[in-house]
Amino acid sequence: MIIDKLIDIANERSNGRKIKDIRIGVGYTCVMLDDGSSGLAYTFVNELGPCCGQLEEAGSMIGRDCTSVISWGKKDNILKSTVGVAAINAVIHSGIQEYETGNIINEVKNLNSYDTFGMVGYFRPIINVVKQTGAKTYVFERSGKYEGTTVPDWAIEMYLPQCDVVIITGTAIINKTIDHILEMCKNAREVYIVGPSTTMSYEAFEGYNVTKLAGSLVVEPKKALEVVSQGGGTMMLKDAIKNISVKVKGK
């Protein structure tokens, strides 16, 4: 599984760093390490439930070796998985030296009316641009609350293999659906994994037909912690993060 690769990579690069702070907000979760390196991951608030929304380890995580939390990335407890992926992102993103800047929207501007576009998750700004291209569009969304071209996520196997260009939310790493989704993207010419939860590790995604990883580098850790703990989302984090992308080798 991809999450296994990410855990191994993060553990190798952890260098004995400790957890300095953890904030679990209603929009995102942020983990800060003792050297200031920080990572984000989406908080699945609607899926926590009355019991899974609580951590027995609460109050005892600060000062722990970050590897003890990194391993949570594979937990079936969605909140622990979220904390784990945020810790993975804190470690891996702190070592990124080569990356591109710019908006991932530019990658879909050249779609044509004969293309079929698929989006797993919902990014309104991207959809607004895709609509202007005339491409046939499928948006796979679990909640089903969006109108127009939205189809339920269980329809991925029916329609995703038909898509030429695909954008996948990085939250699929947290809930471990990313491997199955990528299996359905074998016919696509371009595949992008997008959003603040995306782990920018090209090594983990080699061989999966992924073109580019587009995520967020936390550049103002204290600001990110404040925004997350006060219930902020992506837009409120804009001054604390830098949107970057990394090409997957071989693409």
Side-chain angles (χ1 to χ4, degrees):
M1 293 179 68
I2 288 172
I3 190 61
D4 291 310
K5 295 182 180 182
L6 293 174
I7 289 172
D8 288 344
I9 293 169
N11 279 335
E12 290 174 3
R13 300 178 185 176
S14 61
N15 297 322
R17 282 178 281 183
K18 311 293 183 183
I19 301 294
K20 183 175 182 179
D21 205 343
I22 296 178
R23 307 287 178 89
I24 299 173
V26 297
Y28 284 94
T29 291
C30 185
V31 171
M32 177 192 282
L33 306 182
D34 56 7
D35 65 346
S37 302
S38 301
L40 296 165
Y42 177 75
T43 306
F44 285 85
V45 173
N46 294 331
E47 298 182 26
L48 295 181
C51 296
C52 291
Q54 301 176 17
L55 294 178
E56 293 181 359
E57 295 85 352
S60 66
M61 291 185 283
I62 305 304
R64 286 189 180 193
D65 191 295
C66 65
T67 56
S68 66
V69 177
I70 286 170
S71 64
W72 288 4
K74 199 173 181 180
K75 295 287 187 181
D76 55 9
N77 178 311
I78 194 66
L79 187 54
K80 282 194 170 183
S81 182
T82 297
V83 174
V85 171
I88 289 169
N89 289 347
V91 171
I92 291 179
H93 293 182
S94 67
I96 296 177
Q97 297 180 342
E98 296 183 10
Y99 58 81
E100 299 176 359
T101 58
N103 201 312
I104 195 67
I105 287 177
N106 294 325
E107 306 288 352
V108 298
K109 286 182 176 179
N110 295 323
L111 286 168
N112 296 292
S113 58
Y114 52 79
D115 282 324
T116 300
F117 173 77
M119 176 179 283
V120 182
Y122 187 81
F123 297 91
R124 185 183 296 277
I126 296 176
I127 285 297
N128 290 341
V129 172
V130 172
K131 285 181 178 179
Q132 297 175 17
T133 69
K136 185 176 182 179
T137 303
Y138 292 107
V139 179
F140 304 91
E141 174 58 41
R142 180 168 298 181
S143 67
K145 63 181 179 181
Y146 304 107
E147 298 179 355
T149 55
T150 303
V151 292
D153 60 353
W154 54 257
I156 281 176
E157 294 188 8
M158 297 170 58
Y159 301 116
L160 201 54
Q162 302 175 23
C163 295
D164 302 297
V165 177
V166 179
I167 284 182
I168 304 168
T169 171
T171 62
I173 298 171
I174 301 171
N175 63 18
K176 270 77 77 179
T177 59
I178 187 68
D179 295 81
H180 178 64
I181 292 170
L182 289 176
E183 279 289 317
M184 299 296 106
C185 296
K186 289 182 177 179
N187 299 327
R189 69 172 184 268
E190 305 286 352
V191 178
Y192 305 96
I193 303 177
V194 176
S197 302
T198 304
T199 306
M200 314 290 284
S201 172
Y202 69 82
E203 305 98 318
F205 291 94
E206 287 180 324
Y208 287 93
N209 197 33
V210 175
T211 306
K212 187 176 288 187
L213 306 167
S216 298
L217 185 66
V218 178
V219 294
E220 295 289 345
K222 291 183 179 179
K223 181 66 174 179
L225 289 170
E226 289 177 359
V227 171
V228 165
S229 60
Q230 293 173 27
T234 307
M235 290 303 297
M236 284 70 82
L237 283 164
K238 64 180 182 179
D239 293 331
I241 61 177
K242 177 190 290 187
N243 293 325
I244 65 172
S245 60
V246 174
K247 290 182 179 180
V248 178
K249 287 189 174 182
K251 294 296 290 184

